[in-house]
Amino acid sequence: MPVTFIIGTAGSGKSLFTAALSEWLKMSKQDVAVVNLDPGVLKLPYSPDVDVRNYVDVGDLMEKYSLGPNGALILAADLIADQVEKITRDIQEINADMVLVDTPGQMELFAFRASGPYIVEELTKEPKALIYLFDAVFSINPLNYVSNMFLSAAVYNRFFQPQVHLLSKCDLIPTEQVKRIADWSADPRALEDAIDQELEGTKRLFSRNMMRAINQLGLKFLLMPISAKTNQGLTNVNSTLERILTGGEKYTT
Ligand SMILES: Nc1nc2c(ncn2[C@@H]2O[C@H](COP(=O)(O)OP(=O)(O)OP(=O)(O)O)[C@@H](O)[C@H]2O)c(=O)[nH]1
Ligand SMILES: [Mg+2]
């Protein structure tokens, strides 16, 4: 069972994208299971097949250990790791061809604590992929764009799994802007030009050096524009995932 984890900063569109891609896969007759790993979420735009809120209750943790919401979320992340065997069993029972995993709202809870990489490692031994979302509205400014490159490189450095980069919420910005940001991801010179034109002083220097440092790592950030509202780009996402997870075969065997 190939597993795809959806990661991104708070509010970048993880949950709605999970909903849109799972619906899209179902429409194209693929058997998909959806897992919610966010213990703190109140309302989801999809019905999860496996829901981590059935294993840990953030409200109970706050009460029991006199914790604030963030302390309780950190504890929850660690408790989820303890339950990973049970969660894996529940996912396997569904016996889907593809599993989509929506990760916690605050990316650091998943990516920058020990539990996230442990869960990714333990959940399946079969091929897996990470999808990292760049929020289009936030990425219009080259300074923010470079910061997001840095964060996604940091995520890669935690998981070392194939990582697909998507520009989310593209319906919210003009098409020319979408193209411009996608061009930055394909051509470092285009990004460097934008940095030179739009940023000044320390911000320019810092962004340029950070961009160069990330490029030196040899990571590819080719951004695929998508929208979870209009389903733009989901066909491309699906073929990219098929290529990574099944060597080009359909998930269904
Ligand atoms: N227009 C538009 N809005 C979107 C899109 N994707 C997400 N949104 C909106 O952006 C907000 C955040 O989306 P979520 O899917 O909850 O993002 P998330 O990353 O799961 O957020 P947290 O888990 O709370 O960190 C919601 O109001 C969504 O309706 C999109 O493709 N287009
Ligand atoms: Mg979410």
Side-chain angles (χ1 to χ4, degrees):
M1 233 174 7
V3 183
T4 300
F5 295 85
I6 292 116
I7 297 187
T9 50
S12 56
K14 300 179 287 295
S15 299
L16 200 63
F17 172 75
T18 305
L21 185 61
S22 66
E23 284 305 315
W24 190 95
L25 287 165
K26 281 176 197 162
M27 295 264 283
S28 44
K29 305 269 180 284
Q30 311 263 12
D31 231 347
V32 56
V34 187
V35 179
N36 169 44
L37 273 193
D38 187 348
V41 71
L42 293 178
K43 215 162 172 254
L44 284 170
Y46 55 84
S47 318
D49 297 294
V50 176
D51 192 337
V52 86
R53 292 175 297 178
N54 295 334
Y55 301 90
V56 287
D57 185 317
V58 176
D60 281 357
L61 294 178
M62 286 172 71
E63 186 105 344
K64 192 166 167 199
Y65 298 101
S66 307
L67 291 167
N70 287 317
L73 283 170
I74 289 171
L75 180 56
D78 295 344
L79 292 175
I80 292 165
D82 289 341
Q83 306 273 354
V84 76
E85 254 179 60
K86 254 198 243 165
I87 297 172
T88 308
R89 222 176 306 132
D90 287 354
I91 295 172
Q92 275 167 350
E93 268 171 23
I94 300 167
N95 201 18
D97 301 309
M98 162 68 149
V99 182
L100 295 181
V101 182
D102 182 18
T103 63
Q106 291 87 341
M107 183 173 82
E108 67 270 31
L109 280 178
F110 190 69
F112 301 137
R113 292 188 61 80
S115 50
Y118 175 76
I119 291 169
V120 169
E121 198 46 49
E122 293 300 314
L123 215 55
T124 178
K125 299 296 170 204
E126 289 192 43
K128 43 203 147 193
L130 257 62
I131 285 185
Y132 184 93
L133 299 182
F134 278 57
D135 185 324
V137 180
F138 179 73
S139 302
I140 286 179
N141 178 321
L143 178 75
N144 295 348
Y145 176 84
V146 172
S147 308
N148 224 339
M149 276 174 84
F150 187 74
L151 279 175
S152 75
V155 166
Y156 182 73
N157 185 44
R158 295 284 295 151
F159 295 98
F160 289 106
Q161 296 295 336
Q163 195 161 305
V164 179
H165 297 93
L166 305 184
L167 188 63
S168 67
K169 309 188 191 176
C170 282
D171 60 293
L172 291 179
I173 66 170
T175 317
E176 317 83 76
Q177 294 280 8
V178 172
K179 189 178 170 316
R180 198 167 105 95
I181 301 169
D183 284 349
W184 293 346
S185 77
D187 178 7
R189 277 167 310 180
L191 177 57
E192 196 150 344
D193 286 348
I195 290 170
D196 286 345
Q197 282 160 23
E198 289 171 46
L199 304 177
E200 290 182 338
T202 316
K203 286 182 181 170
R204 179 194 285 171
L205 200 66
F206 195 79
S207 295
R208 201 198 284 147
N209 286 340
M210 189 139 84
M211 176 207 125
R212 285 180 182 164
I214 297 166
N215 283 333
Q216 271 180 1
L217 298 173
L219 297 175
K220 292 259 181 304
F221 286 92
L222 215 54
L223 279 178
M224 250 183 264
I226 61 117
S227 163
K229 292 266 181 192
T230 67
N231 282 2
Q232 177 197 347
L234 297 191
T235 313
N236 284 342
V237 174
N238 179 54
S239 21
T240 304
L241 288 177
E242 273 178 356
R243 209 170 50 242
I244 295 172
L245 296 167
T246 63
E249 301 290 319
K250 291 243 172 286
Y251 308 117
T252 14
T253 45

